[in-house]
Amino acid sequence: MIIAIDGPAAAGKGTLARRLAEHFGFAYLDTGSLYRAVGLAVLRAGKSPTDVVAATEISVDLDRRLFSDPDLRAERTGNAASAVAAIPEVRYNLLEFQRKFARTPPDDKKGAVLDGRDVGTVVCPDADLKLFVTAGPHVRARRRFLEIEGRGEAADFEEILTDVRARDERDMNRADAPLKPAEDALLLDTSELDIDAVFLRAVALVEERLKPQ
Ligand code: DC
């Protein structure tokens, strides 16, 4: 079983995907971390995230150690990820890894949950369940703000809101695999619903699909 969860930054899709994977014993892939790893490596190489040649070269042979790098989750890395993700060559180089993970999940798991921006539309168009998790920009910026403050770091709400909007703009308007719900995706708006309610709704949807037809 393949579950595709897409949506904009800070909509709650990562938390939902992780909880679903844990609940059903499925493998979990945060596809954003692949783009983040490319973005981080580009920054560390002293290059611009819009440098097509540098980003493409790095994405061919991605250093796996970057997935556990403490800077992977930084805002700066997220913005660099969004920029390298607009490069078609980078997307192409990361595609097969994601498809393989979905088709043959590690540790012989019986299913995979992938979250990102184009899982339901491009990576796994045949996924058994597609969810599009979203929330208004203010709600998402507020979540980011609380998360950063929670880590004991300084946070500026207006700056975060500007960042969230810029990232939406870039992710939704790029030519290759833009962020958008697949036609057969179910929309879950987390502006009003809390994560437990969203999780229970998603569990019910998965169980429905697991039932023998
Ligand atoms: O979900 P995230 O914030 O970790 O993603 C970082 C960036 O990576 C995001 O702004 C766009 C890009 N991305 C993508 O283009 N396609 C995906 N499937 C996942 C992430």
Side-chain angles (χ1 to χ4, degrees), residues 31-32 35-36 73 81-82 85 91 116-118 167 171 174:
T31 65
Y35 293 93
R36 282 176 179 268
R73 313 298 335 158
S82 174
R91 304 201 71 81
R117 303 290 188 288
D118 65 337
R167 196 109 82 84
D171 293 348
R174 65 176 177 231

Side-chain angles (χ1 to χ4, degrees), residues 17-204:
R18 210 171 295 113
R19 280 184 69 177
L20 278 180
E22 202 173 293
H23 183 84
F24 290 101
F26 293 167
Y28 167 54
L29 179 65
D30 162 13
T31 65
S33 67
L34 304 175
Y35 293 93
R36 282 176 179 268
V38 176
L40 182 57
V42 169
L43 292 177
R44 290 218 172 127
K47 305 279 186 183
S48 158
T50 55
D51 183 330
V52 174
V53 175
T56 303
E57 221 165 79
I58 283 167
S59 65
V60 171
D61 187 19
L62 202 50
D63 181 356
R64 303 275 169 102
R65 283 172 301 187
L66 289 166
F67 298 141
S68 51
D69 194 292
D71 289 338
L72 196 73
R73 313 298 335 158
E75 290 302 299
R76 200 166 114 80
T77 306
N79 289 327
S82 174
V84 299
I87 303 171
E89 291 86 344
V90 170
R91 304 201 71 81
Y92 177 80
N93 288 337
L94 299 180
L95 192 56
E96 193 42 38
F97 176 82
Q98 299 173 71
R99 287 194 170 147
K100 191 164 172 232
F101 186 99
R103 262 196 323 262
T104 46
D107 305 323
D108 279 335
K109 297 259 166 95
K110 297 281 172 275
V113 186
L114 284 80
D115 77 34
R117 303 290 188 288
D118 65 337
V119 181
T121 50
V122 175
V123 180
C124 305
D126 299 328
D128 301 279
L129 177 65
K130 297 179 187 178
L131 301 174
F132 193 84
V133 181
T134 188
H138 278 90
V139 174
R140 290 186 283 123
R142 184 159 168 71
R143 283 187 195 143
R144 266 280 145 84
F145 175 81
L146 294 174
E147 191 187 307
I148 297 170
E149 272 208 326
R151 291 202 296 260
E153 294 166 24
D156 177 333
F157 179 78
E158 287 305 323
E159 210 174 278
I160 295 170
L161 180 61
T162 306
D163 253 27
V164 161
R165 289 205 162 113
R167 196 109 82 84
D168 283 359
E169 176 71 22
R170 232 185 352 239
D171 293 348
M172 292 192 292
N173 294 310
R174 65 176 177 231
D176 191 14
L179 167 66
K180 65 167 185 209
E183 269 174 27
D184 49 349
L186 291 151
L187 258 60
L188 291 175
D189 191 328
T190 65
S191 302
E192 307 288 328
L193 288 173
D194 69 20
I195 185 64
D196 286 326
V198 173
F199 173 66
L200 291 176
R201 169 111 182 83
V203 166

